[in-house]
Amino acid sequence: MNIYAVISLLASVICIFLGNFIYYKNPKSQLNKLIAILCIFVGFLAFTEFGYRQAENASTAYFWLKLSTLWPFVPALLLHIALIFTEKRDFLKSKMIYLVYLPAIILSGLGLTTDLIINGALREYWGWTYTVPFDPTLFGIMSLWSMFGGFTAAALFFLYYSKTTKPMEKKQTKYIFIGLYIPLIISLISDLIFPLVSIRVPELTMTSITIGLLFIAYGIYKYHFPILTPAMAADKIIATMSNFLIILNPKKRIVTVNNASLKLLGYSEEKIKGKPLQFIFKDEKTLDKILKNLNEDQMENGDVKTFETKLKAKNNKIIPVLLSVSGIKIIDDEPLGIVCIGSDLTEKKNMMTALHKTEELYKTLVKTDPDSVVTTDMAGKITYLSPRALEMHEYETPDELLGKNILELITPEDHQKAGLDMQKTIQRGILRNLEYIMKKKDGKQFIGELNATLIKNIDGEPFAFLTTTRDITHHKKTEAQIKASLEEKDVLLKEIHHRVKNNLQIVSSLLNLQSGYIEDKEAQNVFKESQNRVKSMAMIHEKLYQSENFARINFGDYIKNLASGLFSSYGVNITVIKLKINVDSILLDINTAIPCGLILNELVTNSVKHAFPKGMHGEIEIGFFRNNNDENVLTVIDTGIGFPEDMDFRNTDTLGMRLITSLTDQIDGELELITEGRTEFRITFT
C-alpha cells in the first residue's frame, strides 16, 4: 500500500468523524445537517480515491474511478450551504433549490454509465489515476460545473461578509470561506485544470478538503458558532439566566435544572434530577391542578400559566416564587414535558412586609399626631388631609376639601404671604414655624403655626408639598399674658431699684448733714467714709435702674463712675495723683457687684488718703479683666509710699481693711498684696 493511498484513507476517516461531530453539535439545524452530509460525502470520495490508488489491476481501479464521478454533488452541496448561510429564504422556499442538484445528477449519471467523462485507468507513481477521453467535452462541462458551483457560493459568502455588520457573523463567514473554498481552488487546479493541459500530479482534492473541514471544525470548537450551534447558545442562556428553570418530563419528574435553581434550592444537580414534583414544590396540589390544565392544545400553542406558589428548598426552607409553566411538545409527536420558569419572591415579600409595616406606622403617627397633616400637589391642590386636619378646620369629610386649593384654609389677608412661602419652600426644601391666620369651615379664625416640606420623587424632582399645622391660639394668648406680666414686673423692679437708690441717697445726705455739726476731724472722716460707702451701693442701684437688664450691671462702667466720684469727694488734684483705668465690659449680678463696689471703694479711699502724703505725686491704676482660667480679676495699684511692712493686712484694727477681707470672703474670692516697687491689691473671684 503506497503512502498516497494511506493519505486518502486517513482523509476518509477524518471526514466521516467530522461529519458526526458537526451533526451532533445541533442535529436540528439544517445548516449543520448539510455540512455533516458534505463531510461524509467527501469521506466517501476519499475512500474511493483510496480504492483506486491501491488497486491491484486496471479493472479494479476503473471500478473505483467510476464511483468518483459522483464528485459533481460536492459543488451542489457547497452552493446549497451558501444559500442557507446567507439567508436566501425566497430561493430556498421555492422549488428552484432542486435545480442546484440537477447538473450533478446528470453529470454523475453519465459518469457512472458511460465512458464520456472517464474512459480508463492509468498507472502513475502515486498509484492508479483516471484518463480523460479523446473527446473531453463532458469532462470540461463537469469542470465548468465544479467551478461555477464553487465560485458562485464563494461570491455569495463574500457579499454576505461585506454587508454584515456583526463581528461574529464576519468571523463565521471567514472560517467557512477559508475552510471550504481555498481547498476547492487547489482541487480544481490539481484535478481538473492540470489534466486538461496534460500535466499529471497526484489528486489533492480530498486531502485539501479534509484539511479545510478540520479548519471549520476547529472554528466550531473554539468559537462556538451560534449559527451552527444554536443549542449551545440555548444551553448558555439557560446556565446564565437569573431566573430559575426546571423542566419536568411527562411523568412530572425533574429532568433539567439550571444553576439559578440549584443555588436557590441548595441541592446538587445529581440530588435533584429524577425526583418527583413533590420533592421541591410545597403546594403540590395547586401546582398539579395547573399542570393538568395544560392540555395538548395549550402545549402546542405555547400557552403559559403564571401564578404564585412556594418551593421547598433544602432543610425544608420555604421560598415564595412567581412561577410560569408551559408545555413542551414536538410537532406531530407526544408531549415532551413541562418547563417551569420563575423568580424568587423572598426579597420582594420582605420589602412588601417592611413597606406595609412602615405604612401602618405612618398611618398611626398621622392619626395620633396632635398637628394636622395636609399634602398638596405643586399647584397647591389638596390631595390628602389627616383626621386632625378635618377636626381643626371643623370639616366632616375629606371630600369637602380634596382637589381644592390649600388657600381655602387660610384667611385672604395671608394669601400673598402663603404664595411667597411656597416659592421659598421650593428653593430651600423646608420652612419652619410659619404663623398664619387660619380659618374654619364656618369662617371662624385661629392662629396656626405651619411647617412646610417639599416632597421629591426618586429622580429628585419635586411633586408635592406636605404641611403640618398646630393651633397656637391658646399659646399666643398665654404668651401675651406672660409678656404683660413680665412688663409689669419689670416696672415694679425698676421702681424698687429707684426707691432703694433714693433711700440710700437720703442716708448719704443725712450723714453729710450730720458731719457738718461735728468738729472732731477724725469723726468727720468716719462720717465721710460711711457716706462714700453708701454712695457706692446707691450707684449700683442707679445703674440697675438705668439698665434694661435688672439682674446684672456692666461693672467696667461702674468702676469708672465710682473712681471719678471718690476723686471728686476727696478733692484729689488729678495733676498730682493721676487716675488710670483699664477695665473690660464684664457683667456682674447684684449679689457680686455690691461687695465688689464696697471693696473698690475701700481700696481707692486708702490709696487716696494714705499713699501720697504731703502733696506727693503719683498714680492710682484700677484694672478689671478675666484671666486665662475665666476668673474675674480686680486690681488697685498705687505708686505711693507703700504698705507698711510691719502690718498684716489680714489682721488689722482698721474698719476699711476688715471690710475688704470680709467682703472678699463673701464673694469666695482670693485677696493678694503685691509690693514689688509699688503697692497692688489683687482680688480674684469667679
Side-chain angles (χ1 to χ4, degrees):
M1 186 182 297
N2 65 54
I3 187 63
Y4 296 101
V6 172
I7 292 173
S8 298
L9 180 61
L10 182 62
S12 175
V13 173
I14 291 173
C15 285
I16 292 171
F17 170 78
L18 292 177
N20 281 276
F21 171 77
I22 293 172
Y23 174 76
Y24 284 108
K25 277 294 179 181
N26 188 4
K28 295 180 181 179
S29 169
Q30 188 179 7
L31 184 63
N32 280 43
K33 289 177 181 178
L34 280 174
I35 295 178
I37 290 171
L38 176 65
C39 290
I40 293 171
F41 190 72
V42 170
F44 167 74
L45 293 177
F47 188 77
T48 63
E49 188 177 67
F50 163 74
Y52 64 72
R53 277 183 175 176
Q54 56 83 44
E56 294 181 358
N57 50 57
S59 60
T60 304
Y62 186 65
F63 168 77
W64 290 106
L65 285 168
K66 295 292 282 185
L67 290 177
S68 69
T69 57
L70 293 172
W71 161 262
F73 281 97
V74 171
L77 285 168
L78 290 175
L79 192 55
H80 195 172
I81 291 169
L83 291 171
I84 292 176
F85 188 92
T86 57
E87 299 178 343
K88 303 297 181 182
R89 294 185 178 88
D90 294 337
F91 188 86
L92 292 170
K93 289 179 181 179
S94 66
K95 295 182 179 180
M96 295 289 289
I97 188 62
Y98 297 115
L99 295 177
V100 172
Y101 293 96
L102 183 59
I105 294 171
I106 294 172
L107 290 171
S108 295
L110 291 172
L112 290 171
T113 58
T114 70
D115 295 333
L116 298 175
I117 295 177
I118 294 175
N119 67 346
L122 177 66
R123 185 77 177 184
E124 296 285 356
Y125 67 88
W126 61 84
W128 293 98
T129 186
Y130 60 86
T131 59
V132 180
F134 180 76
D135 182 4
T137 302
L138 280 178
F139 186 86
I141 292 173
M142 183 181 72
S143 300
L144 289 174
W145 164 245
S146 298
M147 294 175 65
F148 170 78
F151 286 107
T152 301
L156 289 173
F157 274 102
F158 180 78
L159 291 173
Y160 187 79
Y161 178 85
S162 302
K163 291 180 180 179
T164 185
T165 58
K166 298 178 181 179
M168 182 58 73
E169 288 187 356
K170 280 185 175 293
K171 189 176 294 185
Q172 294 165 12
T173 309
K174 180 177 68 176
Y175 264 83
I176 293 180
F177 183 85
I178 295 173
L180 293 181
Y181 295 105
I182 298 302
L184 177 63
I185 292 171
I186 294 173
S187 68
L188 287 174
I189 294 171
S190 66
D191 289 16
L192 300 176
I193 296 174
F194 280 1
L196 288 174
V197 294
S198 300
I199 300 174
R200 302 308 300 263
V201 295
E203 297 87 355
L204 301 175
T205 300
M206 303 309 153
T207 303
S208 61
I209 290 179
T210 301
I211 295 171
L213 291 173
L214 278 170
F215 186 77
I216 293 174
Y218 172 76
I220 292 173
Y221 169 76
K222 184 176 181 180
Y223 294 102
H224 302 291
F225 285 179
I227 194 165
L228 294 176
T229 59
M232 282 189 170
D235 290 342
K236 189 71 173 177
I237 291 170
I238 290 172
T240 58
M241 65 189 295
S242 59
N243 288 356
F244 69 83
L245 179 140
I246 301 169
I247 298 178
L248 309 174
N249 62 19
K251 294 181 179 180
K252 311 297 188 295
R253 288 188 174 273
I254 299 168
V255 293
T256 300
V257 289
N258 66 348
N259 292 335
S261 302
L262 299 175
K263 184 177 179 181
L264 179 65
L265 297 171
Y267 291 109
S268 64
E269 189 172 2
E270 295 77 14
K271 181 69 176 177
I272 201 171
K273 272 191 174 182
K275 298 295 183 183
L277 181 70
Q278 293 79 5
F279 184 73
I280 58 170
F281 286 102
K282 179 178 183 294
D283 192 9
E284 64 268 14
K285 292 182 180 179
T286 303
L287 184 62
D288 195 50
K289 183 179 178 182
I290 296 292
L291 296 177
K292 286 180 179 178
N293 290 332
L294 286 170
N295 54 42
E296 294 184 7
D297 293 335
Q298 287 174 315
M299 287 184 177
E300 186 173 351
N301 297 330
D303 290 348
V304 178
K305 296 280 186 180
T306 302
F307 55 95
E308 285 190 20
T309 186
K310 294 178 181 178
L311 293 182
K312 183 171 58 177
K314 197 173 182 179
N315 299 326
N316 291 321
K317 179 184 176 182
I318 304 303
I319 304 172
V321 296
L322 180 66
L323 188 67
S324 297
V325 295
S326 177
I328 308 172
K329 183 181 178 182
I330 300 176
I331 299 174
D332 299 328
D333 202 353
E334 294 295 324
L336 184 62
I338 298 164
V339 62
C340 306
I341 300 176
S343 56
D344 183 2
L345 297 179
T346 303
E347 186 175 350
K348 182 179 178 181
K349 292 284 186 181
N350 291 339
M351 289 176 62
M352 293 296 292
T353 301
L355 180 62
H356 178 72
K357 288 181 179 179
T358 304
E359 287 179 349
E360 289 300 316
L361 174 62
Y362 281 114
K363 284 180 181 179
T364 303
L365 289 174
V366 170
K367 287 179 181 178
T368 57
D369 193 347
D371 298 342
S372 76
V373 179
V374 179
T375 62
T376 71
D377 61 16
M378 296 303 293
K381 291 183 179 180
I382 298 172
T383 56
Y384 171 79
L385 300 102
S386 68
R388 176 59 181 149
L390 295 174
E391 179 185 347
M392 187 178 291
H393 294 275
E394 297 183 353
Y395 284 88
E396 296 177 0
T397 63
D399 293 336
E400 296 179 76
L401 287 170
L402 289 176
K404 294 184 178 180
N405 199 289
I406 195 171
L407 296 178
E408 290 282 336
L409 306 177
I410 303 173
T411 57
E413 293 80 3
D414 282 347
H415 282 186
Q416 185 177 0
K417 177 187 175 185
L420 294 174
D421 285 339
M422 184 179 289
Q423 294 302 316
K424 290 179 183 177
T425 305
I426 293 174
Q427 295 170 2
R428 302 177 189 176
I430 186 170
L431 289 181
R432 293 188 175 93
N433 305 326
L434 307 172
E435 286 191 12
Y436 286 93
I437 305 299
M438 313 296 289
K439 67 177 182 178
K440 301 182 180 182
K441 182 179 180 180
D442 59 4
K444 291 181 181 179
Q445 298 181 356
F446 65 93
I447 303 173
E449 184 181 74
L450 274 72
N451 295 314
T453 304
L454 189 66
I455 304 175
K456 298 181 180 181
N457 60 20
I458 195 171
D459 298 321
E461 298 174 350
F463 70 94
F465 293 100
L466 183 145
T467 61
T468 60
T469 307
R470 176 172 296 182
D471 185 351
I472 60 170
T473 306
H474 176 72
H475 298 290
K476 297 297 285 186
K477 289 180 180 179
T478 304
E479 182 183 334
Q481 292 173 354
I482 294 173
K483 187 176 181 181
S485 176
L486 287 174
E487 289 176 353
E488 182 180 352
K489 290 178 180 178
D490 286 346
V491 172
L492 291 173
L493 191 58
K494 193 172 186 179
E495 182 63 24
I496 289 171
H497 285 302
H498 183 60
R499 292 190 181 188
V500 170
K501 184 230 9 172
N502 288 342
N503 290 336
L504 289 172
Q505 284 181 340
I506 291 172
V507 172
S508 177
S509 298
L510 289 173
L511 290 172
N512 186 43
L513 288 172
Q514 186 67 44
S515 65
Y517 296 96
I518 299 174
E519 295 181 357
D520 186 354
K521 287 288 184 182
E522 186 175 348
Q524 281 185 346
N525 287 335
V526 171
F527 268 81
K528 192 167 189 174
E529 289 175 2
S530 298
Q531 184 182 359
N532 286 334
R533 291 174 185 131
V534 172
K535 280 183 178 179
S536 71
M537 291 186 291
M539 193 179 295
I540 288 175
H541 285 281
E542 183 179 10
K543 287 286 183 183
L544 289 171
Y545 170 74
Q546 294 171 350
S547 173
E548 294 181 358
N549 185 347
F550 297 134
R552 302 163 74 85
I553 68 167
N554 187 329
F555 201 69
D557 291 342
Y558 171 80
I559 290 172
K560 296 174 184 177
N561 293 333
L562 180 62
S564 299
L566 289 172
F567 265 55
S568 175
S569 174
Y570 286 103
V572 177
N573 186 346
I574 59 175
T575 61
V576 177
I577 303 175
K578 296 181 180 179
L579 178 63
K580 185 177 180 181
I581 299 175
N582 293 314
V583 295
D584 294 337
S585 297
I586 300 173
L587 297 178
L588 296 180
D589 61 58
I590 189 172
N591 295 325
T592 306
I594 289 177
C596 285
L598 289 170
I599 291 170
L600 183 64
N601 177 81
E602 297 302 323
L603 290 173
V604 174
T605 298
N606 284 345
S607 294
V608 169
K609 289 175 62 179
H610 306 297
F612 304 98
K614 299 178 182 181
M616 178 182 175
H617 287 254
E619 180 182 85
I620 297 175
E621 180 180 347
I622 302 172
F624 186 53
F625 56 90
R626 285 187 187 276
N627 62 17
N628 293 333
N629 296 325
D630 201 31
E631 297 172 318
N632 298 313
V633 180
L634 175 65
T635 62
V636 177
I637 305 169
D638 67 65
T639 59
I641 61 174
F643 197 83
E645 294 183 0
D646 58 347
M647 182 181 292
D648 183 2
F649 71 91
R650 299 183 188 277
N651 296 299
T652 65
D653 294 332
T654 62
L655 178 61
M657 289 307 301
R658 289 172 65 185
L659 277 174
I660 292 170
T661 304
S662 177
L663 292 171
T664 300
D665 292 338
Q666 183 178 326
I667 62 174
D668 294 327
E670 181 182 352
L671 176 62
E672 297 177 84
L673 173 61
I674 303 171
T675 56
E676 295 178 358
R678 55 184 186 171
T679 303
E680 176 183 351
F681 280 93
R682 179 185 293 263
I683 298 95
T684 305
F685 61 96
T686 56

